[in-house]
Amino acid sequence: MTSDLASCLWHQTCQETPAFEELTGEAEADLVVIGGGFTGCSAALKAAEMGASVHLIEADETGSGGSGRNVGLVNAGLWLPPEDINAELGAGTGSRLSQLLAGAPDMVFSLITKHAIQCEAETGGTLHCAHAPAGMKDLQRRHAQLRAIGAPVQLLPRDDAIQRTGSEAVHGALFDPRAGTIQPLAFVRGLARAAARAGAQLHEHSAATAISRDGSTWHVATPKGSIRAKHLIMATNAYARSLSGYAAPQVIPVHYFQAATDPLPAPLLRQILPMKEGCWDTALVMSSWRLDQAGRLIIGGMGALDHFGSALHRSWLPRKLAALYPDLKEAQLRSHWHGRIAMTAEHLPKILDLQGGFACFGYSGRGIGPGTLFGTAMAEALLTGDSTCLPVPPVPDHSLPFASLRSTYYETGATLTHLISNR
Ligand SMILES: Cc1cc2nc3c(=O)[nH]c(=O)nc-3n(C[C@H](O)[C@H](O)[C@H](O)COP(=O)(O)OP(=O)(O)OC[C@H]3O[C@@H](n4cnc5c(N)ncnc54)[C@H](O)[C@@H]3O)c2cc1C
């Protein structure tokens, strides 16, 4: 495990503990998957269930990337509301994507049940909370667009939102009953366990160091082994390591950090999120909060914890917590960690056509449902030769100029906001 993950709550409380040996020697397979997050593990599971031989290689440990660091909100869609998706992709492709993603939480929760994944699943929905009266405008727009495509979302007025969150700091909320929360590391490890049980060969501490193609065969090299396969899925997303023979698609890395209280006493848990919905807000520099199974409140905001301005993020977090819940103003926040989100310029995920393989990236902060859906679909498309099951048509190329400049813009914005914000 990379050293920064030791402080991640999900790594401290995970009940799923599969471990996989490093790849040694030469192997052959129908499909090789690179990256052990939601995308890669769901692809490996689907391929194995289809009867294919599949090897998955992970550079570190399962869930070391975004999948083991995230907030755990299982959403039924992307960050963009449906009409904005249609404006980018066209009405046909956009509506199909929104409809497929509407079913993504069901897909995730069904996999959890089917494979008995111990990941603290809560299916009581999520609350997108208005951080200020102006935030309600955004929620009304989202509500109208989501209702228009048949989503069972409800707009809650301020009093109802206060009752549901237990916080007087919210000004209304959009409730999505299809959504929920999970312990994200446990979910991805559970997918890996299920994939192995279905016959997939998984290898940790096995970074791909070189990729090449010989006719219709992919060759993937690792420090101690190699795999030859007909099909390839690159599922390395924001955590792509450099390797010879392959340039990972550019994304805008945006950081997000979190920390957790100790388990809250029962009287507080009767007031704070009594129905255990996961929450995030409408602020431009967004925050999120949710409970875990033990009753810890996990709170987060945009920003990285590894640069000279990170102290500003850390000192803002207890102020935010106290603004949301004055009863928690003395609460200790522990287990600080952060992770890297892969954004695209359009805030939409992409599938890159590698001719005999796919690379998938850019869920833009919504990867639990989408990653599970895209990973599953990519395996199916490659093994059946029918790409119509893909949620979006694959693109032949991708470029994103000024990605690191854009990343600096987000980080600077978050740091300055946390500097001046008293809540
Ligand atoms: C802090 C944070 C909060 C988030 N909150 C949410 C949320 O609440 N809800 C939600 O839906 N989404 C959320 N997301 C987004 C979501 O976590 C990601 O979109 C998702 O995890 C991406 O999954 P993935 O499998 O594509 O990539 P990852 O999980 O990042 O996996 C990529 C893997 O590839 C491996 N790898 C890289 N290079 C190599 C190589 N050369 N060889 C072998 N392996 C390699 C990495 O080690 C890594 O494990 C959040 C993300 C972050 C960072």
Side-chain angles (χ1 to χ4, degrees), residues 34-40 57-61 64-67 69-73 75 206-208 235-237 239-241 243 256 258 339-341 363 365-369:
I34 303 182
F38 302 133
T39 308
I57 53 173
E58 161 56 45
D60 194 345
E61 291 175 5
S64 296
S67 301
R69 301 167 186 254
N70 81 26
V71 179
L73 304 172
N75 294 107
S206 305
T236 54
N237 217 338
Y239 282 81
R241 299 192 181 188
L243 67 162
Y256 198 87
Q258 299 176 80
R340 200 152 66 226
I341 291 170
Y363 301 116
R366 289 289 178 92
I368 301 177

CSV table of all heavy atoms in Angstrom, one decimal, residues 34-40 57-61 64-67 69-73 75 206-208 235-237 239-241 243 256 258 339-341 363 365-369, ligand 1:
chain,number,residue,atom,x,y,z
A,34,ILE,N,-5.7,-3.8,-17.2
A,34,ILE,CA,-4.6,-3.1,-16.4
A,34,ILE,C,-5.3,-2.1,-15.5
A,34,ILE,O,-6.0,-1.1,-16.0
A,34,ILE,CB,-3.6,-2.4,-17.3
A,34,ILE,CG1,-3.0,-3.5,-18.3
A,34,ILE,CG2,-2.5,-1.7,-16.6
A,34,ILE,CD1,-2.0,-3.0,-19.2
A,35,GLY,N,-5.2,-2.3,-14.2
A,35,GLY,CA,-5.8,-1.4,-13.2
A,35,GLY,C,-6.8,-2.1,-12.4
A,35,GLY,O,-7.8,-2.6,-12.9
A,36,GLY,N,-6.7,-2.0,-11.0
A,36,GLY,CA,-7.6,-2.7,-10.1
A,36,GLY,C,-8.5,-1.8,-9.4
A,36,GLY,O,-8.5,-1.8,-8.2
A,37,GLY,N,-9.3,-1.0,-10.1
A,37,GLY,CA,-10.3,-0.1,-9.5
A,37,GLY,C,-11.7,-0.7,-9.9
A,37,GLY,O,-11.8,-1.8,-10.3
A,38,PHE,N,-12.7,0.2,-9.7
A,38,PHE,CA,-14.1,-0.3,-10.1
A,38,PHE,C,-14.1,-0.7,-11.6
A,38,PHE,O,-14.7,-1.7,-11.9
A,38,PHE,CB,-15.1,0.8,-9.9
A,38,PHE,CG,-15.1,1.4,-8.6
A,38,PHE,CD1,-15.1,2.8,-8.4
A,38,PHE,CD2,-15.2,0.6,-7.4
A,38,PHE,CE1,-15.2,3.4,-7.1
A,38,PHE,CE2,-15.3,1.2,-6.2
A,38,PHE,CZ,-15.3,2.5,-6.0
A,39,THR,N,-13.5,0.1,-12.5
A,39,THR,CA,-13.5,-0.2,-13.9
A,39,THR,C,-12.9,-1.6,-14.2
A,39,THR,O,-13.5,-2.5,-14.8
A,39,THR,CB,-12.8,0.9,-14.7
A,39,THR,OG1,-13.3,2.1,-14.3
A,39,THR,CG2,-13.1,0.7,-16.2
A,40,GLY,N,-11.6,-1.7,-13.7
A,40,GLY,CA,-10.9,-3.0,-14.1
A,40,GLY,C,-11.5,-4.2,-13.4
A,40,GLY,O,-11.6,-5.2,-14.1
A,57,ILE,N,-3.9,-7.0,-13.9
A,57,ILE,CA,-2.7,-6.6,-13.1
A,57,ILE,C,-2.9,-5.2,-12.5
A,57,ILE,O,-3.4,-4.3,-13.2
A,57,ILE,CB,-1.4,-6.6,-14.0
A,57,ILE,CG1,-1.6,-5.8,-15.3
A,57,ILE,CG2,-1.0,-8.1,-14.3
A,57,ILE,CD1,-0.3,-5.7,-16.1
A,58,GLU,N,-2.5,-5.1,-11.3
A,58,GLU,CA,-2.6,-3.8,-10.5
A,58,GLU,C,-1.2,-3.5,-10.0
A,58,GLU,O,-0.5,-4.3,-9.4
A,58,GLU,CB,-3.6,-4.1,-9.4
A,58,GLU,CG,-3.5,-3.1,-8.2
A,58,GLU,CD,-3.7,-1.6,-8.6
A,58,GLU,OE1,-4.6,-1.3,-9.4
A,58,GLU,OE2,-2.9,-0.8,-8.2
A,59,ALA,N,-0.8,-2.2,-10.2
A,59,ALA,CA,0.5,-1.8,-9.9
A,59,ALA,C,0.8,-1.8,-8.3
A,59,ALA,O,1.9,-2.2,-7.9
A,59,ALA,CB,0.7,-0.4,-10.3
A,60,ASP,N,-0.3,-1.5,-7.6
A,60,ASP,CA,-0.1,-1.5,-6.1
A,60,ASP,C,-1.0,-2.5,-5.5
A,60,ASP,O,-0.8,-3.7,-5.8
A,60,ASP,CB,-0.5,0.0,-5.7
A,60,ASP,CG,0.0,0.3,-4.3
A,60,ASP,OD1,0.3,-0.7,-3.5
A,60,ASP,OD2,0.0,1.4,-3.9
A,61,GLU,N,-2.1,-2.1,-4.8
A,61,GLU,CA,-3.0,-3.1,-4.3
A,61,GLU,C,-4.4,-2.7,-4.8
A,61,GLU,O,-4.6,-1.5,-5.2
A,61,GLU,CB,-3.1,-3.0,-2.7
A,61,GLU,CG,-1.8,-3.6,-2.1
A,61,GLU,CD,-1.8,-3.5,-0.6
A,61,GLU,OE1,-2.8,-3.0,0.0
A,61,GLU,OE2,-0.7,-3.8,0.0
A,64,SER,N,-6.2,1.0,-4.8
A,64,SER,CA,-5.2,2.0,-4.4
A,64,SER,C,-5.4,3.4,-5.1
A,64,SER,O,-4.9,4.4,-4.7
A,64,SER,CB,-3.8,1.6,-4.8
A,64,SER,OG,-3.4,0.5,-4.1
A,65,GLY,N,-6.2,3.3,-6.2
A,65,GLY,CA,-6.4,4.6,-6.9
A,65,GLY,C,-7.7,5.3,-6.4
A,65,GLY,O,-8.0,5.2,-5.2
A,66,GLY,N,-8.4,5.9,-7.3
A,66,GLY,CA,-9.6,6.7,-6.8
A,66,GLY,C,-10.6,5.8,-6.1
A,66,GLY,O,-11.3,6.2,-5.2
A,67,SER,N,-10.7,4.5,-6.5
A,67,SER,CA,-11.8,3.6,-6.0
A,67,SER,C,-11.7,3.4,-4.5
A,67,SER,O,-12.7,3.2,-3.9
A,67,SER,CB,-11.7,2.3,-6.8
A,67,SER,OG,-11.9,2.5,-8.1
A,69,ARG,N,-10.4,5.6,-2.4
A,69,ARG,CA,-10.3,6.8,-1.6
A,69,ARG,C,-11.5,7.7,-1.7
A,69,ARG,O,-11.5,8.8,-1.1
A,69,ARG,CB,-9.1,7.6,-2.3
A,69,ARG,CG,-7.8,7.0,-2.4
A,69,ARG,CD,-6.9,7.7,-3.4
A,69,ARG,NE,-5.6,7.0,-3.5
A,69,ARG,CZ,-4.5,7.4,-3.0
A,69,ARG,NH1,-4.4,8.4,-2.3
A,69,ARG,NH2,-3.4,6.6,-3.2
A,70,ASN,N,-12.5,7.2,-2.3
A,70,ASN,CA,-13.6,8.2,-2.6
A,70,ASN,C,-14.6,8.4,-1.5
A,70,ASN,O,-14.4,7.9,-0.4
A,70,ASN,CB,-14.2,7.9,-4.0
A,70,ASN,CG,-15.2,6.8,-4.0
A,70,ASN,OD1,-15.9,6.5,-3.0
A,70,ASN,ND2,-15.4,6.2,-5.2
A,71,VAL,N,-15.7,9.2,-1.8
A,71,VAL,CA,-16.6,9.5,-0.7
A,71,VAL,C,-17.6,8.3,-0.5
A,71,VAL,O,-18.0,8.1,0.7
A,71,VAL,CB,-17.4,10.8,-1.1
A,71,VAL,CG1,-18.4,11.1,0.0
A,71,VAL,CG2,-16.5,12.0,-1.3
A,72,GLY,N,-17.9,7.6,-1.5
A,72,GLY,CA,-18.8,6.4,-1.4
A,72,GLY,C,-20.2,6.8,-1.7
A,72,GLY,O,-21.1,6.0,-1.3
A,73,LEU,N,-20.4,7.9,-2.5
A,73,LEU,CA,-21.8,8.2,-2.9
A,73,LEU,C,-22.1,7.4,-4.2
A,73,LEU,O,-21.4,7.6,-5.2
A,73,LEU,CB,-21.9,9.7,-3.2
A,73,LEU,CG,-21.6,10.6,-2.0
A,73,LEU,CD1,-21.6,12.1,-2.5
A,73,LEU,CD2,-22.5,10.4,-0.9
A,75,ASN,N,-24.1,7.3,-7.0
A,75,ASN,CA,-25.1,8.2,-7.7
A,75,ASN,C,-25.7,7.6,-8.9
A,75,ASN,O,-25.1,6.7,-9.6
A,75,ASN,CB,-24.4,9.5,-8.1
A,75,ASN,CG,-24.0,10.3,-6.9
A,75,ASN,OD1,-22.8,10.4,-6.6
A,75,ASN,ND2,-24.9,10.9,-6.2
A,206,SER,N,2.0,-5.6,-9.5
A,206,SER,CA,2.4,-6.0,-10.8
A,206,SER,C,2.1,-4.9,-11.8
A,206,SER,O,1.2,-5.0,-12.6
A,206,SER,CB,1.6,-7.3,-11.2
A,206,SER,OG,1.8,-8.3,-10.2
A,207,ALA,N,2.9,-3.8,-11.8
A,207,ALA,CA,2.7,-2.7,-12.7
A,207,ALA,C,3.0,-3.1,-14.1
A,207,ALA,O,4.1,-3.8,-14.4
A,207,ALA,CB,3.6,-1.5,-12.3
A,208,ALA,N,2.2,-2.7,-15.0
A,208,ALA,CA,2.5,-2.9,-16.5
A,208,ALA,C,3.6,-1.9,-16.7
A,208,ALA,O,3.5,-0.7,-16.4
A,208,ALA,CB,1.3,-2.6,-17.3
A,235,ALA,N,-7.5,0.5,-17.6
A,235,ALA,CA,-8.4,1.0,-16.6
A,235,ALA,C,-7.6,1.7,-15.5
A,235,ALA,O,-7.8,1.5,-14.3
A,235,ALA,CB,-9.3,-0.1,-16.0
A,236,THR,N,-6.7,2.6,-15.9
A,236,THR,CA,-5.8,3.2,-15.0
A,236,THR,C,-6.2,4.7,-14.6
A,236,THR,O,-5.7,5.2,-13.6
A,236,THR,CB,-4.4,3.2,-15.5
A,236,THR,OG1,-4.4,3.8,-16.8
A,236,THR,CG2,-3.8,1.8,-15.7
A,237,ASN,N,-7.0,5.3,-15.4
A,237,ASN,CA,-7.7,6.5,-15.1
A,237,ASN,C,-6.8,7.6,-14.5
A,237,ASN,O,-5.7,7.8,-15.1
A,237,ASN,CB,-8.9,6.2,-14.2
A,237,ASN,CG,-10.1,7.1,-14.5
A,237,ASN,OD1,-10.0,8.2,-15.0
A,237,ASN,ND2,-11.2,6.7,-14.1
A,239,TYR,N,-4.9,7.5,-12.1
A,239,TYR,CA,-3.7,7.0,-11.4
A,239,TYR,C,-2.7,6.3,-12.4
A,239,TYR,O,-1.8,5.5,-12.0
A,239,TYR,CB,-4.1,6.1,-10.2
A,239,TYR,CG,-4.5,6.9,-9.0
A,239,TYR,CD1,-5.8,7.5,-9.0
A,239,TYR,CD2,-3.6,7.2,-8.1
A,239,TYR,CE1,-6.1,8.3,-7.9
A,239,TYR,CE2,-3.9,8.0,-7.0
A,239,TYR,CZ,-5.2,8.6,-6.9
A,239,TYR,OH,-5.5,9.4,-5.9
A,240,ALA,N,-2.9,6.6,-13.7
A,240,ALA,CA,-2.0,6.0,-14.7
A,240,ALA,C,-0.6,6.2,-14.4
A,240,ALA,O,-0.1,7.3,-14.2
A,240,ALA,CB,-2.4,6.5,-16.1
A,241,ARG,N,0.2,5.1,-14.4
A,241,ARG,CA,1.7,5.3,-14.3
A,241,ARG,C,2.2,5.2,-15.7
A,241,ARG,O,1.7,4.6,-16.6
A,241,ARG,CB,2.3,4.1,-13.5
A,241,ARG,CG,1.8,4.0,-12.1
A,241,ARG,CD,2.6,3.0,-11.4
A,241,ARG,NE,2.1,2.9,-10.0
A,241,ARG,CZ,2.7,2.2,-9.0
A,241,ARG,NH1,3.8,1.6,-9.3
A,241,ARG,NH2,2.2,2.2,-7.8
A,243,LEU,N,4.3,4.1,-18.8
A,243,LEU,CA,4.8,2.8,-19.3
A,243,LEU,C,5.2,3.0,-20.8
A,243,LEU,O,4.7,3.8,-21.5
A,243,LEU,CB,3.9,1.7,-19.0
A,243,LEU,CG,2.5,1.6,-19.8
A,243,LEU,CD1,2.0,0.2,-19.7
A,243,LEU,CD2,1.5,2.5,-19.2
A,256,TYR,N,-9.4,15.9,-4.0
A,256,TYR,CA,-10.5,16.0,-3.0
A,256,TYR,C,-10.0,15.3,-1.7
A,256,TYR,O,-9.4,14.2,-1.8
A,256,TYR,CB,-11.7,15.2,-3.6
A,256,TYR,CG,-13.0,15.6,-2.9
A,256,TYR,CD1,-13.7,16.7,-3.3
A,256,TYR,CD2,-13.5,14.8,-1.8
A,256,TYR,CE1,-14.9,17.0,-2.6
A,256,TYR,CE2,-14.6,15.2,-1.1
A,256,TYR,CZ,-15.3,16.3,-1.6
A,256,TYR,OH,-16.5,16.6,-0.9
A,258,GLN,N,-10.6,14.2,2.6
A,258,GLN,CA,-11.6,13.9,3.6
A,258,GLN,C,-11.0,13.6,5.0
A,258,GLN,O,-9.8,13.3,5.1
A,258,GLN,CB,-12.4,12.6,3.2
A,258,GLN,CG,-13.2,12.9,1.8
A,258,GLN,CD,-13.8,11.6,1.4
A,258,GLN,OE1,-14.9,11.3,1.9
A,258,GLN,NE2,-13.2,10.9,0.5
A,339,GLY,N,-7.5,12.2,-2.6
A,339,GLY,CA,-7.4,11.4,-3.8
A,339,GLY,C,-7.5,12.2,-5.0
A,339,GLY,O,-7.9,13.4,-4.9
A,340,ARG,N,-7.2,11.6,-6.2
A,340,ARG,CA,-7.2,12.4,-7.5
A,340,ARG,C,-8.3,12.0,-8.3
A,340,ARG,O,-8.5,10.8,-8.6
A,340,ARG,CB,-5.8,12.0,-8.1
A,340,ARG,CG,-5.3,12.9,-9.2
A,340,ARG,CD,-3.8,12.8,-9.2
A,340,ARG,NE,-3.3,11.5,-9.7
A,340,ARG,CZ,-2.3,10.9,-9.2
A,340,ARG,NH1,-1.7,11.3,-8.1
A,340,ARG,NH2,-1.9,9.7,-9.7
A,341,ILE,N,-9.1,13.0,-8.7
A,341,ILE,CA,-10.2,12.7,-9.6
A,341,ILE,C,-9.8,13.0,-11.1
A,341,ILE,O,-9.1,14.0,-11.3
A,341,ILE,CB,-11.4,13.7,-9.2
A,341,ILE,CG1,-12.0,13.3,-7.9
A,341,ILE,CG2,-12.5,13.7,-10.3
A,341,ILE,CD1,-12.9,14.3,-7.3
A,363,TYR,N,-14.3,9.9,-15.4
A,363,TYR,CA,-15.7,9.9,-14.8
A,363,TYR,C,-16.0,11.2,-14.1
A,363,TYR,O,-17.1,11.4,-13.7
A,363,TYR,CB,-15.9,8.7,-13.8
A,363,TYR,CG,-15.6,7.4,-14.4
A,363,TYR,CD1,-14.6,6.5,-14.0
A,363,TYR,CD2,-16.4,6.9,-15.5
A,363,TYR,CE1,-14.3,5.3,-14.6
A,363,TYR,CE2,-16.2,5.6,-16.0
A,363,TYR,CZ,-15.2,4.9,-15.6
A,363,TYR,OH,-14.9,3.6,-16.2
A,365,GLY,N,-15.4,12.5,-11.2
A,365,GLY,CA,-16.0,12.5,-9.8
A,365,GLY,C,-17.1,11.6,-9.6
A,365,GLY,O,-17.7,11.5,-8.5
A,366,ARG,N,-17.6,10.9,-10.6
A,366,ARG,CA,-18.7,10.0,-10.5
A,366,ARG,C,-18.3,8.6,-11.0
A,366,ARG,O,-18.8,8.2,-12.1
A,366,ARG,CB,-19.9,10.5,-11.3
A,366,ARG,CG,-20.6,11.7,-10.7
A,366,ARG,CD,-21.3,11.4,-9.5
A,366,ARG,NE,-21.9,12.5,-8.9
A,366,ARG,CZ,-23.2,13.0,-9.1
A,366,ARG,NH1,-23.9,12.3,-10.0
A,366,ARG,NH2,-23.6,14.0,-8.5
A,367,GLY,N,-17.6,7.8,-10.3
A,367,GLY,CA,-17.0,6.6,-10.8
A,367,GLY,C,-17.5,5.3,-10.3
A,367,GLY,O,-17.2,4.3,-10.8
A,368,ILE,N,-18.3,5.3,-9.2
A,368,ILE,CA,-18.8,4.1,-8.6
A,368,ILE,C,-19.7,3.4,-9.6
A,368,ILE,O,-19.5,2.3,-10.1
A,368,ILE,CB,-19.4,4.2,-7.2
A,368,ILE,CG1,-18.4,4.9,-6.3
A,368,ILE,CG2,-19.8,2.9,-6.7
A,368,ILE,CD1,-18.9,5.1,-4.9
A,369,GLY,N,-20.9,4.0,-9.9
A,369,GLY,CA,-21.8,3.5,-10.8
A,369,GLY,C,-21.3,3.4,-12.2
A,369,GLY,O,-21.2,2.4,-12.9
B,1,LIG,C1,-11.5,11.7,-3.2
B,1,LIG,C2,-12.4,11.1,-4.3
B,1,LIG,C3,-13.8,11.1,-4.0
B,1,LIG,C4,-14.7,10.6,-4.9
B,1,LIG,N1,-16.0,10.4,-4.6
B,1,LIG,C5,-16.8,9.7,-5.4
B,1,LIG,C6,-18.1,9.4,-5.0
B,1,LIG,O1,-18.6,9.7,-3.9
B,1,LIG,N2,-18.9,8.7,-5.9
B,1,LIG,C7,-18.5,8.3,-7.1
B,1,LIG,O2,-19.2,7.7,-7.9
B,1,LIG,N3,-17.2,8.6,-7.5
B,1,LIG,C8,-16.4,9.3,-6.7
B,1,LIG,N4,-15.1,9.5,-7.1
B,1,LIG,C9,-14.6,9.1,-8.4
B,1,LIG,C10,-14.3,7.6,-8.4
B,1,LIG,O3,-13.6,7.2,-7.2
B,1,LIG,C11,-13.4,7.3,-9.6
B,1,LIG,O4,-14.0,7.7,-10.8
B,1,LIG,C12,-13.2,5.8,-9.7
B,1,LIG,O5,-12.6,5.3,-8.6
B,1,LIG,C13,-12.4,5.4,-10.9
B,1,LIG,O6,-12.2,4.0,-10.9
B,1,LIG,P1,-11.2,3.4,-11.9
B,1,LIG,O7,-11.2,1.9,-11.7
B,1,LIG,O8,-11.4,3.9,-13.3
B,1,LIG,O9,-9.8,4.0,-11.6
B,1,LIG,P2,-8.9,3.8,-10.2
B,1,LIG,O10,-9.7,3.4,-9.1
B,1,LIG,O11,-8.1,5.1,-10.0
B,1,LIG,O12,-8.0,2.6,-10.5
B,1,LIG,C14,-6.8,2.7,-11.4
B,1,LIG,C15,-5.8,1.7,-10.9
B,1,LIG,O13,-4.8,1.5,-11.9
B,1,LIG,C16,-3.6,1.2,-11.3
B,1,LIG,N5,-2.5,1.5,-12.3
B,1,LIG,C17,-2.1,2.6,-12.8
B,1,LIG,N6,-1.1,2.5,-13.6
B,1,LIG,C18,-0.9,1.1,-13.7
B,1,LIG,C19,0.0,0.3,-14.4
B,1,LIG,N7,1.0,0.8,-15.2
B,1,LIG,N8,0.0,-1.1,-14.2
B,1,LIG,C20,-0.9,-1.6,-13.4
B,1,LIG,N9,-1.8,-0.9,-12.7
B,1,LIG,C21,-1.8,0.5,-12.8
B,1,LIG,C22,-3.6,2.2,-10.1
B,1,LIG,O14,-2.7,1.7,-9.1
B,1,LIG,C23,-5.1,2.1,-9.7
B,1,LIG,O15,-5.3,1.2,-8.6
B,1,LIG,C24,-14.2,10.1,-6.2
B,1,LIG,C25,-12.8,10.1,-6.4
B,1,LIG,C26,-11.9,10.6,-5.5
B,1,LIG,C27,-10.5,10.6,-5.8
